[in-house]
mmCIF file of all heavy atoms in Angstrom:
data_model
loop_
_atom_site.group_PDB
_atom_site.id
_atom_site.type_symbol
_atom_site.label_atom_id
_atom_site.label_comp_id
_atom_site.label_asym_id
_atom_site.label_seq_id
_atom_site.Cartn_x
_atom_site.Cartn_y
_atom_site.Cartn_z
ATOM 1 N N ALA U 1 70.213 -38.757 -36.543
ATOM 2 C CA ALA U 1 69.784 -37.289 -36.683
ATOM 3 C C ALA U 1 69.391 -37.021 -38.093
ATOM 4 O O ALA U 1 68.380 -36.316 -38.211
ATOM 5 C CB ALA U 1 71.021 -36.493 -36.223
ATOM 6 N N ALA U 2 70.048 -37.486 -39.080
ATOM 7 C CA ALA U 2 69.598 -37.109 -40.381
ATOM 8 C C ALA U 2 68.186 -37.829 -40.728
ATOM 9 O O ALA U 2 67.423 -37.237 -41.434
ATOM 10 C CB ALA U 2 70.603 -37.837 -41.334
ATOM 11 N N LYS U 3 67.968 -38.945 -40.075
ATOM 12 C CA LYS U 3 66.549 -39.565 -40.374
ATOM 13 C C LYS U 3 65.505 -38.724 -39.759
ATOM 14 O O LYS U 3 64.474 -38.541 -40.360
ATOM 15 C CB LYS U 3 66.678 -41.011 -39.806
ATOM 16 C CG LYS U 3 65.422 -41.803 -40.111
ATOM 17 C CD LYS U 3 65.605 -43.188 -39.588
ATOM 18 C CE LYS U 3 64.444 -44.103 -40.079
ATOM 19 N NZ LYS U 3 64.581 -45.395 -39.511
ATOM 20 N N LYS U 4 65.753 -38.248 -38.505
ATOM 21 C CA LYS U 4 64.757 -37.290 -37.924
ATOM 22 C C LYS U 4 64.535 -36.073 -38.763
ATOM 23 O O LYS U 4 63.372 -35.601 -38.920
ATOM 24 C CB LYS U 4 65.222 -36.998 -36.485
ATOM 25 C CG LYS U 4 65.149 -38.093 -35.478
ATOM 26 C CD LYS U 4 65.578 -37.753 -34.128
ATOM 27 C CE LYS U 4 65.513 -38.883 -33.187
ATOM 28 N NZ LYS U 4 65.927 -38.428 -31.753
ATOM 29 N N GLU U 5 65.555 -35.511 -39.267
ATOM 30 C CA GLU U 5 65.527 -34.280 -40.106
ATOM 31 C C GLU U 5 64.679 -34.564 -41.405
ATOM 32 O O GLU U 5 63.798 -33.835 -41.808
ATOM 33 C CB GLU U 5 66.860 -33.772 -40.447
ATOM 34 C CG GLU U 5 67.636 -33.154 -39.303
ATOM 35 C CD GLU U 5 68.972 -32.662 -39.613
ATOM 36 O OE1 GLU U 5 69.306 -32.864 -40.844
ATOM 37 O OE2 GLU U 5 69.679 -32.224 -38.669
ATOM 38 N N ARG U 6 64.870 -35.793 -41.927
ATOM 39 C CA ARG U 6 64.073 -36.060 -43.125
ATOM 40 C C ARG U 6 62.653 -36.225 -42.917
ATOM 41 O O ARG U 6 61.797 -35.817 -43.693
ATOM 42 C CB ARG U 6 64.661 -37.393 -43.732
ATOM 43 C CG ARG U 6 65.905 -37.189 -44.489
ATOM 44 C CD ARG U 6 66.328 -38.369 -45.449
ATOM 45 N NE ARG U 6 66.258 -39.612 -44.648
ATOM 46 C CZ ARG U 6 67.431 -40.180 -44.148
ATOM 47 N NH1 ARG U 6 68.643 -39.445 -44.291
ATOM 48 N NH2 ARG U 6 67.395 -41.271 -43.509
ATOM 49 N N LYS U 7 62.237 -36.879 -41.759
ATOM 50 C CA LYS U 7 60.874 -36.987 -41.374
ATOM 51 C C LYS U 7 60.188 -35.585 -41.178
ATOM 52 O O LYS U 7 59.110 -35.336 -41.526
ATOM 53 C CB LYS U 7 60.742 -37.871 -40.083
ATOM 54 C CG LYS U 7 61.015 -39.311 -40.312
ATOM 55 C CD LYS U 7 60.841 -40.121 -39.134
ATOM 56 C CE LYS U 7 61.029 -41.579 -39.278
ATOM 57 N NZ LYS U 7 60.839 -42.331 -38.235
ATOM 58 N N LYS U 8 61.013 -34.705 -40.379
ATOM 59 C CA LYS U 8 60.390 -33.339 -40.167
ATOM 60 C C LYS U 8 60.231 -32.672 -41.432
ATOM 61 O O LYS U 8 59.191 -31.782 -41.581
ATOM 62 C CB LYS U 8 61.336 -32.628 -39.171
ATOM 63 C CG LYS U 8 61.328 -33.197 -37.771
ATOM 64 C CD LYS U 8 62.247 -32.405 -36.982
ATOM 65 C CE LYS U 8 62.244 -32.871 -35.531
ATOM 66 N NZ LYS U 8 63.253 -32.116 -34.572
ATOM 67 N N ALA U 9 61.115 -32.768 -42.264
ATOM 68 C CA ALA U 9 61.027 -32.057 -43.596
ATOM 69 C C ALA U 9 59.795 -32.680 -44.491
ATOM 70 O O ALA U 9 59.300 -31.877 -45.279
ATOM 71 C CB ALA U 9 62.381 -32.062 -44.432
ATOM 72 N N LYS U 10 59.508 -33.747 -44.324
ATOM 73 C CA LYS U 10 58.529 -34.522 -45.166
ATOM 74 C C LYS U 10 57.078 -34.349 -44.608
ATOM 75 O O LYS U 10 56.152 -34.337 -45.330
ATOM 76 C CB LYS U 10 58.797 -35.986 -45.273
ATOM 77 C CG LYS U 10 57.952 -36.764 -46.236
ATOM 78 C CD LYS U 10 58.443 -38.055 -46.450
ATOM 79 C CE LYS U 10 58.441 -38.869 -45.119
ATOM 80 N NZ LYS U 10 58.784 -40.273 -45.319
ATOM 81 N N GLU U 11 56.860 -34.125 -43.368
ATOM 82 C CA GLU U 11 55.467 -34.171 -42.793
ATOM 83 C C GLU U 11 54.766 -32.942 -43.286
ATOM 84 O O GLU U 11 53.482 -33.140 -43.591
ATOM 85 C CB GLU U 11 55.624 -34.083 -41.221
ATOM 86 C CG GLU U 11 55.968 -35.425 -40.619
ATOM 87 C CD GLU U 11 56.202 -35.341 -39.127
ATOM 88 O OE1 GLU U 11 56.163 -34.133 -38.700
ATOM 89 O OE2 GLU U 11 56.579 -36.359 -38.621
ATOM 90 N N PRO U 12 55.162 -31.700 -43.358
ATOM 91 C CA PRO U 12 54.302 -30.696 -43.861
ATOM 92 C C PRO U 12 53.797 -30.692 -45.266
ATOM 93 O O PRO U 12 52.827 -30.172 -45.723
ATOM 94 C CB PRO U 12 55.180 -29.354 -43.614
ATOM 95 C CG PRO U 12 56.495 -29.861 -43.489
ATOM 96 C CD PRO U 12 56.506 -31.169 -42.942
ATOM 97 N N ASN U 13 54.525 -31.611 -46.137
ATOM 98 C CA ASN U 13 54.236 -31.739 -47.596
ATOM 99 C C ASN U 13 53.307 -32.957 -47.822
ATOM 100 O O ASN U 13 52.813 -33.029 -48.953
ATOM 101 C CB ASN U 13 55.484 -31.885 -48.475
ATOM 102 C CG ASN U 13 56.378 -30.702 -48.377
ATOM 103 O OD1 ASN U 13 55.762 -29.586 -48.230
ATOM 104 N ND2 ASN U 13 57.637 -30.839 -48.491
ATOM 105 N N GLN U 14 52.991 -33.796 -46.890
ATOM 106 C CA GLN U 14 52.219 -34.922 -47.216
ATOM 107 C C GLN U 14 50.717 -34.647 -47.042
ATOM 108 O O GLN U 14 50.319 -33.964 -46.037
ATOM 109 C CB GLN U 14 52.555 -36.080 -46.227
ATOM 110 C CG GLN U 14 53.915 -36.724 -46.586
ATOM 111 C CD GLN U 14 54.121 -37.895 -45.507
ATOM 112 O OE1 GLN U 14 53.442 -38.007 -44.567
ATOM 113 N NE2 GLN U 14 55.159 -38.630 -45.804
ATOM 114 N N TYR U 15 49.926 -35.025 -47.984
ATOM 115 C CA TYR U 15 48.482 -35.019 -48.073
ATOM 116 C C TYR U 15 47.974 -33.646 -47.806
ATOM 117 O O TYR U 15 46.932 -33.354 -47.189
ATOM 118 C CB TYR U 15 47.810 -35.845 -46.906
ATOM 119 C CG TYR U 15 48.416 -37.268 -46.899
ATOM 120 C CD1 TYR U 15 49.240 -37.708 -45.855
ATOM 121 C CD2 TYR U 15 48.199 -38.119 -48.039
ATOM 122 C CE1 TYR U 15 49.736 -39.013 -45.885
ATOM 123 C CE2 TYR U 15 48.797 -39.385 -48.014
ATOM 124 C CZ TYR U 15 49.485 -39.856 -46.991
ATOM 125 O OH TYR U 15 50.081 -41.061 -46.919
ATOM 126 N N THR U 16 48.625 -32.563 -48.366
ATOM 127 C CA THR U 16 48.235 -31.147 -48.216
ATOM 128 C C THR U 16 47.162 -30.748 -49.251
ATOM 129 O O THR U 16 46.434 -29.913 -49.121
ATOM 130 C CB THR U 16 49.399 -30.162 -48.258
ATOM 131 O OG1 THR U 16 50.053 -30.391 -49.505
ATOM 132 C CG2 THR U 16 50.397 -30.426 -47.151
ATOM 133 N N GLU U 17 47.203 -31.562 -50.422
ATOM 134 C CA GLU U 17 46.339 -31.174 -51.527
ATOM 135 C C GLU U 17 45.182 -32.204 -51.560
ATOM 136 O O GLU U 17 45.487 -33.393 -51.810
ATOM 137 C CB GLU U 17 47.169 -31.185 -52.828
ATOM 138 C CG GLU U 17 46.283 -30.866 -54.000
ATOM 139 C CD GLU U 17 47.134 -30.741 -55.321
ATOM 140 O OE1 GLU U 17 48.372 -30.992 -55.226
ATOM 141 O OE2 GLU U 17 46.533 -30.611 -56.319
ATOM 142 N N PRO U 18 44.055 -31.844 -51.240
ATOM 143 C CA PRO U 18 42.949 -32.801 -51.307
ATOM 144 C C PRO U 18 42.446 -33.063 -52.744
ATOM 145 O O PRO U 18 42.919 -32.442 -53.734
ATOM 146 C CB PRO U 18 41.756 -32.095 -50.583
ATOM 147 C CG PRO U 18 42.015 -30.585 -50.798
ATOM 148 C CD PRO U 18 43.550 -30.482 -50.793
ATOM 149 N N PHE U 19 41.729 -34.232 -52.906
ATOM 150 C CA PHE U 19 41.233 -34.507 -54.190
ATOM 151 C C PHE U 19 40.283 -33.514 -54.677
ATOM 152 O O PHE U 19 39.355 -33.202 -53.947
ATOM 153 C CB PHE U 19 40.620 -35.882 -54.160
ATOM 154 C CG PHE U 19 41.645 -36.972 -54.137
ATOM 155 C CD1 PHE U 19 41.683 -37.768 -52.869
ATOM 156 C CD2 PHE U 19 42.546 -37.317 -55.131
ATOM 157 C CE1 PHE U 19 42.666 -38.719 -52.769
ATOM 158 C CE2 PHE U 19 43.422 -38.369 -54.936
ATOM 159 C CZ PHE U 19 43.419 -39.021 -53.787
ATOM 160 N N ASN U 20 40.379 -33.134 -55.827
ATOM 161 C CA ASN U 20 39.386 -32.313 -56.473
ATOM 162 C C ASN U 20 38.264 -32.955 -57.054
ATOM 163 O O ASN U 20 38.309 -33.867 -57.829
ATOM 164 C CB ASN U 20 40.151 -31.331 -57.584
ATOM 165 C CG ASN U 20 39.318 -30.261 -58.064
ATOM 166 O OD1 ASN U 20 38.155 -29.996 -57.598
ATOM 167 N ND2 ASN U 20 39.812 -29.417 -59.041
ATOM 168 N N THR U 21 37.030 -32.518 -56.468
ATOM 169 C CA THR U 21 35.861 -33.327 -56.946
ATOM 170 C C THR U 21 35.441 -33.000 -58.310
ATOM 171 O O THR U 21 34.708 -33.688 -58.941
ATOM 172 C CB THR U 21 34.697 -32.996 -55.985
ATOM 173 O OG1 THR U 21 34.504 -31.546 -56.008
ATOM 174 C CG2 THR U 21 34.935 -33.390 -54.530
ATOM 175 N N THR U 22 36.006 -31.912 -58.913
ATOM 176 C CA THR U 22 35.574 -31.484 -60.292
ATOM 177 C C THR U 22 36.466 -32.266 -61.346
ATOM 178 O O THR U 22 36.154 -32.131 -62.478
ATOM 179 C CB THR U 22 35.768 -29.964 -60.416
ATOM 180 O OG1 THR U 22 37.001 -29.614 -60.141
ATOM 181 C CG2 THR U 22 34.828 -29.390 -59.431
ATOM 182 N N LEU U 23 37.507 -32.810 -60.891
ATOM 183 C CA LEU U 23 38.400 -33.545 -61.791
ATOM 184 C C LEU U 23 38.036 -34.880 -62.104
ATOM 185 O O LEU U 23 37.321 -35.446 -61.260
ATOM 186 C CB LEU U 23 39.876 -33.486 -61.283
ATOM 187 C CG LEU U 23 40.593 -32.054 -61.122
ATOM 188 C CD1 LEU U 23 41.904 -32.239 -60.469
ATOM 189 C CD2 LEU U 23 40.641 -31.298 -62.344
ATOM 190 N N SER U 24 38.407 -35.459 -63.194
ATOM 191 C CA SER U 24 38.148 -36.851 -63.487
ATOM 192 C C SER U 24 38.904 -37.772 -62.659
ATOM 193 O O SER U 24 39.975 -37.340 -61.989
ATOM 194 C CB SER U 24 38.355 -37.085 -64.932
ATOM 195 O OG SER U 24 39.768 -36.864 -65.329
ATOM 196 N N ASN U 25 38.665 -39.025 -62.726
ATOM 197 C CA ASN U 25 39.359 -40.096 -61.896
ATOM 198 C C ASN U 25 40.844 -40.134 -62.323
ATOM 199 O O ASN U 25 41.756 -40.247 -61.527
ATOM 200 C CB ASN U 25 38.695 -41.353 -61.985
ATOM 201 C CG ASN U 25 37.350 -41.279 -61.343
ATOM 202 O OD1 ASN U 25 37.089 -40.472 -60.458
ATOM 203 N ND2 ASN U 25 36.438 -42.198 -61.809
ATOM 204 N N SER U 26 41.041 -40.067 -63.738
ATOM 205 C CA SER U 26 42.321 -40.258 -64.155
ATOM 206 C C SER U 26 43.230 -39.073 -63.776
ATOM 207 O O SER U 26 44.398 -39.139 -63.351
ATOM 208 C CB SER U 26 42.378 -40.372 -65.633
ATOM 209 O OG SER U 26 41.735 -39.248 -66.270
ATOM 210 N N GLU U 27 42.577 -37.781 -63.790
ATOM 211 C CA GLU U 27 43.368 -36.689 -63.400
ATOM 212 C C GLU U 27 43.623 -36.673 -61.961
ATOM 213 O O GLU U 27 44.795 -36.268 -61.516
ATOM 214 C CB GLU U 27 42.598 -35.328 -63.770
ATOM 215 C CG GLU U 27 42.475 -35.249 -65.262
ATOM 216 C CD GLU U 27 41.645 -34.022 -65.656
ATOM 217 O OE1 GLU U 27 41.038 -33.420 -64.670
ATOM 218 O OE2 GLU U 27 41.593 -33.631 -66.861
ATOM 219 N N GLU U 28 42.687 -37.076 -61.163
ATOM 220 C CA GLU U 28 42.977 -37.142 -59.652
ATOM 221 C C GLU U 28 44.057 -38.171 -59.441
ATOM 222 O O GLU U 28 44.928 -37.843 -58.501
ATOM 223 C CB GLU U 28 41.678 -37.578 -58.999
ATOM 224 C CG GLU U 28 40.529 -36.539 -59.003
ATOM 225 C CD GLU U 28 39.449 -37.004 -58.307
ATOM 226 O OE1 GLU U 28 39.348 -38.074 -57.886
ATOM 227 O OE2 GLU U 28 38.427 -36.200 -58.103
ATOM 228 N N LEU U 29 44.094 -39.299 -60.084
ATOM 229 C CA LEU U 29 45.058 -40.282 -59.748
ATOM 230 C C LEU U 29 46.416 -39.780 -60.193
ATOM 231 O O LEU U 29 47.381 -40.032 -59.512
ATOM 232 C CB LEU U 29 44.752 -41.600 -60.552
ATOM 233 C CG LEU U 29 43.537 -42.322 -59.966
ATOM 234 C CD1 LEU U 29 43.217 -43.476 -60.877
ATOM 235 C CD2 LEU U 29 43.793 -42.789 -58.547
ATOM 236 N N GLN U 30 46.519 -39.042 -61.404
ATOM 237 C CA GLN U 30 47.824 -38.570 -61.797
ATOM 238 C C GLN U 30 48.406 -37.489 -60.844
ATOM 239 O O GLN U 30 49.460 -37.461 -60.494
ATOM 240 C CB GLN U 30 47.564 -37.994 -63.209
ATOM 241 C CG GLN U 30 47.374 -38.972 -64.343
ATOM 242 C CD GLN U 30 47.141 -38.259 -65.685
ATOM 243 O OE1 GLN U 30 47.148 -37.027 -65.783
ATOM 244 N NE2 GLN U 30 47.033 -39.228 -66.591
ATOM 245 N N GLY U 31 47.294 -36.589 -60.342
ATOM 246 C CA GLY U 31 47.854 -35.513 -59.328
ATOM 247 C C GLY U 31 48.218 -36.146 -58.128
ATOM 248 O O GLY U 31 49.184 -35.730 -57.540
ATOM 249 N N HIS U 32 47.466 -37.192 -57.677
ATOM 250 C CA HIS U 32 47.895 -37.839 -56.423
ATOM 251 C C HIS U 32 49.195 -38.567 -56.569
ATOM 252 O O HIS U 32 49.884 -38.642 -55.581
ATOM 253 C CB HIS U 32 46.739 -38.839 -56.080
ATOM 254 C CG HIS U 32 47.038 -39.429 -54.656
ATOM 255 N ND1 HIS U 32 47.097 -38.755 -53.507
ATOM 256 C CD2 HIS U 32 47.192 -40.789 -54.418
ATOM 257 C CE1 HIS U 32 47.304 -39.525 -52.520
ATOM 258 N NE2 HIS U 32 47.386 -40.805 -53.017
ATOM 259 N N SER U 33 49.387 -39.152 -57.712
ATOM 260 C CA SER U 33 50.672 -39.828 -57.863
ATOM 261 C C SER U 33 51.971 -38.917 -57.823
ATOM 262 O O SER U 33 52.959 -39.249 -57.527
ATOM 263 C CB SER U 33 50.681 -40.620 -59.193
ATOM 264 O OG SER U 33 50.518 -39.725 -60.323
ATOM 265 N N LYS U 34 51.636 -37.652 -58.308
ATOM 266 C CA LYS U 34 52.662 -36.684 -58.290
ATOM 267 C C LYS U 34 53.046 -36.216 -56.870
ATOM 268 O O LYS U 34 54.217 -35.997 -56.530
ATOM 269 C CB LYS U 34 52.316 -35.437 -59.071
ATOM 270 C CG LYS U 34 52.238 -35.641 -60.556
ATOM 271 C CD LYS U 34 51.771 -34.447 -61.249
ATOM 272 C CE LYS U 34 51.724 -34.584 -62.813
ATOM 273 N NZ LYS U 34 51.306 -33.382 -63.536
ATOM 274 N N THR U 35 51.937 -36.221 -55.993
ATOM 275 C CA THR U 35 52.271 -35.913 -54.616
ATOM 276 C C THR U 35 53.033 -36.877 -53.928
ATOM 277 O O THR U 35 53.646 -36.698 -52.952
ATOM 278 C CB THR U 35 50.900 -35.630 -53.886
ATOM 279 O OG1 THR U 35 50.136 -36.695 -53.991
ATOM 280 C CG2 THR U 35 50.246 -34.425 -54.504
ATOM 281 N N LEU U 36 52.735 -38.232 -54.377
ATOM 282 C CA LEU U 36 53.428 -39.311 -53.711
ATOM 283 C C LEU U 36 54.934 -39.436 -54.065
ATOM 284 O O LEU U 36 55.677 -39.939 -53.419
ATOM 285 C CB LEU U 36 52.770 -40.637 -54.018
ATOM 286 C CG LEU U 36 51.293 -40.798 -53.587
ATOM 287 C CD1 LEU U 36 50.685 -42.139 -54.013
ATOM 288 C CD2 LEU U 36 51.373 -40.717 -52.008
ATOM 289 N N GLU U 37 55.283 -38.812 -55.226
ATOM 290 C CA GLU U 37 56.586 -38.920 -55.708
ATOM 291 C C GLU U 37 57.443 -37.967 -54.849
ATOM 292 O O GLU U 37 57.109 -36.799 -54.583
ATOM 293 C CB GLU U 37 56.676 -38.491 -57.196
ATOM 294 C CG GLU U 37 56.144 -39.474 -58.110
ATOM 295 C CD GLU U 37 56.134 -38.923 -59.585
ATOM 296 O OE1 GLU U 37 56.690 -37.891 -59.804
ATOM 297 O OE2 GLU U 37 55.648 -39.676 -60.443
ATOM 298 N N SER U 38 58.613 -38.503 -54.391
ATOM 299 C CA SER U 38 59.426 -37.731 -53.453
ATOM 300 C C SER U 38 60.574 -36.991 -54.346
ATOM 301 O O SER U 38 60.982 -37.630 -55.325
ATOM 302 C CB SER U 38 60.153 -38.651 -52.479
ATOM 303 O OG SER U 38 61.089 -37.922 -51.643
ATOM 304 N N PRO U 39 60.845 -35.750 -53.926
ATOM 305 C CA PRO U 39 61.939 -35.080 -54.803
ATOM 306 C C PRO U 39 63.095 -35.839 -54.739
ATOM 307 O O PRO U 39 63.969 -35.803 -55.643
ATOM 308 C CB PRO U 39 62.007 -33.771 -54.249
ATOM 309 C CG PRO U 39 61.403 -33.877 -52.892
ATOM 310 C CD PRO U 39 60.327 -34.930 -52.917
ATOM 311 N N ASP U 40 63.416 -36.581 -53.653
ATOM 312 C CA ASP U 40 64.690 -37.218 -53.480
ATOM 313 C C ASP U 40 64.393 -38.711 -53.590
ATOM 314 O O ASP U 40 63.665 -39.264 -52.853
ATOM 315 C CB ASP U 40 65.320 -36.838 -52.104
ATOM 316 C CG ASP U 40 66.688 -37.487 -52.026
ATOM 317 O OD1 ASP U 40 67.206 -38.058 -53.016
ATOM 318 O OD2 ASP U 40 67.253 -37.405 -50.900
ATOM 319 N N PRO U 41 64.904 -39.342 -54.682
ATOM 320 C CA PRO U 41 64.595 -40.840 -54.770
ATOM 321 C C PRO U 41 65.218 -41.649 -53.750
ATOM 322 O O PRO U 41 64.693 -42.733 -53.465
ATOM 323 C CB PRO U 41 65.270 -41.143 -56.206
ATOM 324 C CG PRO U 41 66.259 -40.019 -56.375
ATOM 325 C CD PRO U 41 65.801 -38.837 -55.728
ATOM 326 N N ARG U 42 66.159 -41.196 -52.954
ATOM 327 C CA ARG U 42 66.713 -42.008 -51.855
ATOM 328 C C ARG U 42 65.661 -41.973 -50.710
ATOM 329 O O ARG U 42 65.823 -42.985 -49.907
ATOM 330 C CB ARG U 42 68.027 -41.306 -51.501
ATOM 331 C CG ARG U 42 69.095 -41.470 -52.582
ATOM 332 C CD ARG U 42 70.389 -40.815 -52.155
ATOM 333 N NE ARG U 42 70.184 -39.297 -51.969
ATOM 334 C CZ ARG U 42 71.144 -38.480 -51.518
ATOM 335 N NH1 ARG U 42 72.261 -38.899 -51.177
ATOM 336 N NH2 ARG U 42 70.836 -37.239 -51.393
ATOM 337 N N ILE U 43 64.802 -41.013 -50.496
ATOM 338 C CA ILE U 43 63.901 -41.012 -49.479
ATOM 339 C C ILE U 43 62.680 -41.905 -49.811
ATOM 340 O O ILE U 43 62.044 -41.679 -50.827
ATOM 341 C CB ILE U 43 63.376 -39.558 -49.135
ATOM 342 C CG1 ILE U 43 64.653 -38.660 -48.807
ATOM 343 C CG2 ILE U 43 62.409 -39.635 -48.029
ATOM 344 C CD1 ILE U 43 64.177 -37.219 -48.705
ATOM 345 N N THR U 44 62.340 -42.894 -48.912
ATOM 346 C CA THR U 44 61.313 -43.884 -49.265
ATOM 347 C C THR U 44 60.007 -43.373 -48.573
ATOM 348 O O THR U 44 60.046 -43.075 -47.363
ATOM 349 C CB THR U 44 61.772 -45.200 -48.722
ATOM 350 O OG1 THR U 44 61.928 -45.119 -47.299
ATOM 351 C CG2 THR U 44 62.938 -45.729 -49.438
ATOM 352 N N ASP U 45 58.979 -43.489 -49.294
ATOM 353 C CA ASP U 45 57.531 -43.157 -48.809
ATOM 354 C C ASP U 45 56.924 -44.480 -48.439
ATOM 355 O O ASP U 45 56.811 -45.419 -49.321
ATOM 356 C CB ASP U 45 56.793 -42.374 -49.835
ATOM 357 C CG ASP U 45 55.491 -41.863 -49.318
ATOM 358 O OD1 ASP U 45 55.149 -42.093 -48.142
ATOM 359 O OD2 ASP U 45 54.719 -41.349 -50.143
ATOM 360 N N PRO U 46 56.334 -44.604 -47.253
ATOM 361 C CA PRO U 46 55.649 -45.956 -46.949
ATOM 362 C C PRO U 46 54.466 -46.280 -47.791
ATOM 363 O O PRO U 46 54.232 -47.400 -48.271
ATOM 364 C CB PRO U 46 55.216 -45.718 -45.433
ATOM 365 C CG PRO U 46 56.113 -44.664 -44.917
ATOM 366 C CD PRO U 46 56.467 -43.755 -45.999
ATOM 367 N N ARG U 47 53.664 -45.245 -48.256
ATOM 368 C CA ARG U 47 52.486 -45.440 -49.073
ATOM 369 C C ARG U 47 52.890 -45.957 -50.444
ATOM 370 O O ARG U 47 52.397 -46.781 -50.982
ATOM 371 C CB ARG U 47 51.653 -44.178 -49.147
ATOM 372 C CG ARG U 47 50.372 -44.418 -50.020
ATOM 373 C CD ARG U 47 49.492 -43.180 -49.861
ATOM 374 N NE ARG U 47 48.279 -43.283 -50.665
ATOM 375 C CZ ARG U 47 47.167 -43.798 -50.222
ATOM 376 N NH1 ARG U 47 47.238 -44.271 -49.060
ATOM 377 N NH2 ARG U 47 46.151 -43.967 -51.015
#
């Protein structure tokens, strides 16, 4: 049950912010890496 709740809580936050075409590659990668970071280090992201 706890695993299902974690998945439901994580789905609305994944890939909500698209890459900004006006930013540089390094800024896009930094922003994208921030979205990949989970607030809870115990929760594992497949990507």
Side-chain angles (χ1 to χ4, degrees):
K3 190 174 181 180
K4 289 181 180 180
E5 290 179 358
R6 284 197 301 268
K7 286 183 179 181
K8 290 180 180 179
K10 186 172 59 175
E11 284 177 358
N13 295 329
Q14 286 182 348
Y15 312 112
T16 55
E17 183 178 356
F19 289 109
N20 189 1
T21 55
T22 60
L23 298 177
S24 62
N25 294 334
S26 60
E27 293 176 351
E28 290 179 356
L29 291 175
Q30 290 176 0
H32 183 62
S33 60
K34 290 179 181 180
T35 58
L36 295 178
E37 293 179 358
S38 175
D40 188 4
R42 294 175 297 176
I43 301 175
T44 59
D45 185 5
R47 183 177 180 82

